[in-house]
Amino acid sequence: MFDAHCDTLIKIYRNGGNLHKNDYDVSFEKLLTHKRATQVFAVFNNNTLTAGDITGIIKILKDQTALSDVASFCVTGYDIDNNPRPISTMVSIESVGNTPDLRLEDITSFYNEGVRIMSLTWNHDNPLCGGIENNRTGITPFGRDVLERMHTLGMVLDVSHISDRGFCDAAEWGVKMIATHSNSRTVCAHNRNLTDEQFSILVSKGGVVGINAYPLFINGKDSANVWELIRHIEHFCSLGGEKNIGLGSDFDGIDHKMSDIDSCDKMQVLINELAKLNYKDEVIEGIYHKNFTNFMKNEISPD
């Protein structure tokens, strides 16, 4: 399994606990239910984390991974392929623009810490870009400087949460783009989901979209099931995106959960249902892990 987004690391930082075994939606113990698993742990900045705080949280992930005999910290798809342990941990930054003391030099520092995926914004506008809540503002001059630094370094822009105008700005500037945890706006008319045009742009760029397990983005309600989640997969497939769909659960960052997929060890429910619908093995494997892994191999070069 490859899951491109969870918020477990922030819960560990704020509430304590450890990544190996906990009461959260994601743990190494739960990830071991999959033959192999790659989990991207997001550092979500809600306007309170300084650049130093972010570096410290990344250290928590690295330190706890280093203490484990089942997990290794990885940066690229090549690291994942060559990991002798069953679990690969990766780190992303969600809403780097919410960092109050952010300098352009910090982007390089985050890269050196192993960050390869970053989003500029969460739902709200910040000094780098507009968020999807107001959905009016695009990428600012400082945001463009950050994108240019990311492009130079070989980092990937996560467009989940970005404003529609910000998405268009980024697409025009030619940066590498993925959506780590977003669904289809056609299937569920929530602004956090992607329009068909946005998804098609990501497909044309070779990007991947992580299907989100938050019911609000699945059907607009407080509960949802696997069949409703599959509707988003089917719609994206109808747009020619079989090789551009992955998983982005948003576990430990959502206040309501699906009835049948409520933690990372339950993701096999989705895979089993896709098999019952006679999806080809290569399509299922792509969604389950290969599409994101291949992206990381093709778009993020080893140092």
Side-chain angles (χ1 to χ4, degrees):
M1 184 191 73
F2 190 119
D3 185 331
H5 185 93
C6 77
D7 288 292
T8 315
L9 186 58
I10 289 297
K11 285 199 168 182
I12 297 288
Y13 169 69
R14 291 175 180 159
N15 305 327
N18 67 81
L19 290 172
H20 184 81
K21 185 175 183 178
N22 56 55
D23 293 326
Y24 303 135
D25 301 337
V26 177
S27 67
F28 294 165
E29 186 178 66
K30 292 185 179 76
L31 289 170
L32 284 172
T33 61
H34 305 278
K35 183 177 180 180
R36 291 179 66 83
T38 300
Q39 181 66 62
V40 182
F41 290 90
V43 180
F44 167 56
N45 197 338
N46 63 349
N47 292 305
T48 64
L49 300 178
T50 65
D53 292 332
I54 292 173
T55 301
I57 294 170
I58 294 171
K59 186 176 186 299
I60 292 174
L61 174 62
K62 289 181 175 179
D63 288 349
Q64 293 202 13
T65 300
L67 289 173
S68 171
D69 59 359
V70 297
S72 299
F73 182 77
C74 296
V75 176
T76 72
Y78 295 95
D79 296 337
I80 296 170
D81 277 354
N82 294 311
N83 183 8
R85 295 174 174 175
I87 298 171
S88 298
T89 67
M90 306 187 81
V91 66
S92 65
I93 298 176
E94 184 175 22
S95 192
V96 70
N98 282 358
T99 310
D101 60 344
L102 184 69
R103 305 168 304 158
L104 196 57
E105 293 78 11
D106 293 320
I107 305 303
T108 303
S109 298
F110 297 149
Y111 177 88
N112 291 336
E113 290 294 334
V115 177
R116 295 296 182 271
I117 301 170
M118 288 199 312
S119 68
L120 301 183
T121 180
W122 191 58
N123 288 336
H124 314 301
D125 296 0
N126 64 38
L128 301 187
C129 186
I132 196 62
E133 184 174 86
N134 293 327
N135 204 21
R136 291 191 296 269
T137 308
I139 296 174
T140 68
F142 185 27
R144 183 164 187 172
D145 289 343
V146 168
L147 278 186
E148 289 177 349
R149 179 63 60 90
M150 290 173 62
H151 179 70
T152 299
L153 292 168
M155 301 175 80
V156 178
L157 174 66
D158 177 6
V159 297
S160 293
H161 291 287
I162 201 170
S163 67
D164 289 346
R165 183 175 172 185
F167 184 104
C168 291
D169 289 345
E172 289 175 0
W173 292 336
V175 296
K176 299 173 184 176
M177 298 163 55
I178 60 175
T180 59
H181 55 305
S182 295
N183 292 339
S184 165
R185 203 180 298 182
T186 297
V187 176
C188 177
H190 193 290
N191 273 0
R192 261 286 282 110
N193 290 334
L194 297 171
T195 67
D196 289 356
E197 180 182 8
Q198 289 170 339
F199 181 76
S200 295
I201 289 172
L202 287 171
V203 170
S204 71
K205 287 176 167 291
V208 184
V209 175
I211 295 295
N212 193 315
Y214 187 24
L216 186 64
F217 304 153
I218 297 173
N219 61 16
K221 302 176 183 178
D222 290 341
S223 63
N225 60 48
V226 66
W227 294 101
E228 293 171 299
L229 187 64
I230 288 174
R231 289 182 60 211
H232 292 266
I233 293 174
E234 290 180 334
H235 184 72
F236 283 152
C237 284
S238 75
L239 298 175
E242 287 185 354
K243 296 182 179 180
N244 306 87
I245 307 168
L247 306 176
S249 66
D250 212 359
F251 284 143
D252 287 313
I254 52 181
D255 50 12
H256 294 93
K257 293 189 282 187
M258 296 176 60
S259 59
D260 39 14
I261 305 177
D262 58 1
S263 57
C264 67
D265 54 327
K266 304 292 180 57
M267 198 59 77
Q268 191 65 39
V269 171
L270 171 62
I271 304 308
N272 291 341
E273 294 304 325
L274 291 175
K276 291 177 184 178
L277 291 172
N278 294 319
Y279 275 70
K280 295 179 181 178
D281 289 346
E282 56 265 33
V283 174
I284 295 175
E285 289 174 2
I287 294 169
Y288 194 28
H289 65 96
K290 280 190 176 180
N291 291 340
F292 264 122
T293 301
N294 288 340
F295 178 89
M296 299 299 289
K297 287 168 63 176
N298 296 332
E299 300 297 335
I300 299 180
S301 301
D303 291 333

